[in-house]
Amino acid sequence: MLDLTVLIDNNAAFLDKELLTEHGLSFYFKVDGLACLYDLGASDKWLNNANKLGIHAEEVDHLILSHGHKDHTGGLSTFLQVNKSAKIFVSDKAFKYKYLTYRHEKPRDISSDSSLFAKYADRFVLLTEDCLLSPHVYLIHNRVFEHRLPVGNQFLRIVADGLEKPYIPNDEVALVIRIDDGIVILSACSHSGVLNIIQSSVEITGCSKVLAFVGGTHLVDTDMEEKDDVASIARVLADKYPEMCLYTGHCTGSAAVDVFSEVLQNRFALFHSGMQLKF
C-alpha cells in the first residue's frame, strides 16, 4: 500500500480553500515504514499545507530533491529549520549548476540556494547513480533517450565551469515504488520526457506493469512554432501501458491536459494541493 499526498501544486484544492498553491511541487508519501518528501515547492508554502493536513515535517525520514530548479527546492531552508535529521538525496549536479530560464523577456535565475548545501553538507547524499532508498523504492536517473525531449527545455540554460550551455536533464532523479506486482513512478518535472522516464523505470526495476505515473510532464503551453506531439505521447501511454493511470498538474499546460483527458479518459486525473492518492 502506498499513500501519497500532494502537498503543493499549481492547482488549487476544490474544497479546502485554506490550502495554498504556487508554481511548484511537493509530494509526501509513506512506504516501507518511512515518511518521505519528494521536492519542496518554490517557498515555505508546502509547510503550511503539511500542517493543515496533519503531516509532521519534523518526523520525515528522507527528502528527495528531483533536480536543481527553484520551484522544486525553494522550501529547502524551511525544511532544514524544521527537520533536524532527515537525509537529503539529490543529484551531485544539482548544486553545481546555475540554472537560467529564457521563457520571458529577460533571463531569470531559477537556481537552488547553494549556500544551504555548504552549510548543511552532512545532511546531503549526492547521487551519481541509481540506488535503492528502501526495499521497495528506487531512485533512478533517466537512461533512455528514444523519445523526443519536451520542447519547453529549449527555454532552459545552465552555467557550468563559467560557460553558459543548453540544459541537459542529467540532474533529474525520479522515484519508482514497487507495489505488489507493479510500479508507481514519481517524476516531478520530467525534463527527460515522460516516455523515456517510464521506459527507464521499467528497465531498471525489471517490472513492465506500470500502475501509475504521478508528476509534471513539462509539456507546457508555448507560442513557439515547434510543439510537443502530446497526442502521440498519449497514444503510446494508452497502448503500451494499458494499466497505467496518469496523474499530473505542475508544468503541464492546458493543451496537454485536454489531449491526455480525451485519449486516456478515466485513466487520467489532474492533481492539486491536498490531493490524496492510494495505490
Side-chain angles (χ1 to χ4, degrees), residues 11-253:
N11 299 308
F14 301 117
L15 299 177
D16 192 342
K17 301 304 180 183
E18 293 187 0
L19 293 176
L20 304 178
T21 64
E22 66 182 359
H23 179 74
L25 189 63
S26 178
F27 294 145
Y28 171 84
F29 65 95
K30 297 187 79 169
V31 67
D32 291 336
L34 298 170
C36 301
L37 280 173
Y38 183 44
D39 283 353
L40 293 168
S43 69
D44 62 358
K45 290 182 178 180
W46 67 273
L47 183 59
N48 171 88
N49 290 357
N51 290 337
K52 290 186 180 299
L53 294 167
I55 293 169
H56 303 289
E58 68 275 10
E59 297 177 2
V60 167
D61 298 294
H62 296 311
L63 165 64
I64 305 95
L65 297 176
S66 63
H67 60 307
H69 292 174
K70 198 175 197 175
D71 51 329
H72 297 266
T73 67
L76 181 56
S77 176
T78 300
F79 177 80
L80 288 164
Q81 294 171 34
V82 172
N83 184 295
K84 307 298 183 182
S85 59
K87 286 295 184 182
I88 303 165
F89 295 80
V90 62
S91 166
D92 67 331
K93 300 175 179 64
F95 290 97
K96 290 181 180 178
Y97 294 161
K98 178 180 179 179
Y99 296 92
L100 302 171
T101 176
Y102 283 83
R103 191 170 182 186
H104 304 288
E105 290 185 10
K106 296 181 180 179
R108 185 164 56 91
D109 189 342
I110 55 170
S111 308
S112 300
D113 184 351
S114 58
S115 69
L116 296 174
F117 174 68
K119 184 176 180 180
Y120 299 94
D122 61 322
R123 299 281 300 275
F124 287 84
V125 179
L126 300 182
L127 300 171
T128 59
E129 57 186 6
D130 307 327
C131 72
L132 270 175
L133 182 69
S134 68
H136 295 91
V137 181
Y138 299 76
L139 305 183
I140 71 159
H141 300 78
N142 182 63
R143 61 172 64 173
V144 174
F145 292 94
E146 291 184 13
H147 303 279
R148 182 180 173 192
L149 299 181
V151 170
N153 284 355
Q154 296 179 29
F155 295 114
L156 302 172
R157 308 278 290 181
I158 62 167
V159 178
D161 301 321
L163 298 174
E164 186 173 316
K165 309 172 185 178
Y167 173 61
I168 299 172
N170 58 1
D171 61 336
E172 271 196 312
V173 177
L175 278 81
V176 187
I177 304 168
R178 289 201 75 132
I179 302 171
D180 299 326
D181 59 344
I183 57 175
V184 173
I185 301 166
L186 308 185
S187 178
C189 237
S190 305
H191 291 284
S192 296
V194 170
L195 296 178
N196 292 325
I197 293 167
I198 295 175
Q199 191 170 330
S200 293
S201 302
V202 169
E203 291 183 6
I204 290 166
T205 62
C207 179
S208 60
K209 184 178 180 180
V210 182
L211 303 174
F213 183 98
V214 188
T217 65
H218 207 65
L219 300 170
V220 298
D221 294 330
T222 173
D223 294 330
M224 293 173 62
E225 184 175 340
E226 185 180 8
K227 305 289 186 183
D228 292 298
D229 190 352
V230 181
S232 292
I233 296 171
R235 286 193 294 269
V236 172
L237 293 177
D239 296 339
K240 191 171 182 179
Y241 307 104
E243 297 175 275
M244 193 197 91
C245 293
L246 173 63
Y247 300 90
T248 191
H250 175 74
C251 75
T252 301

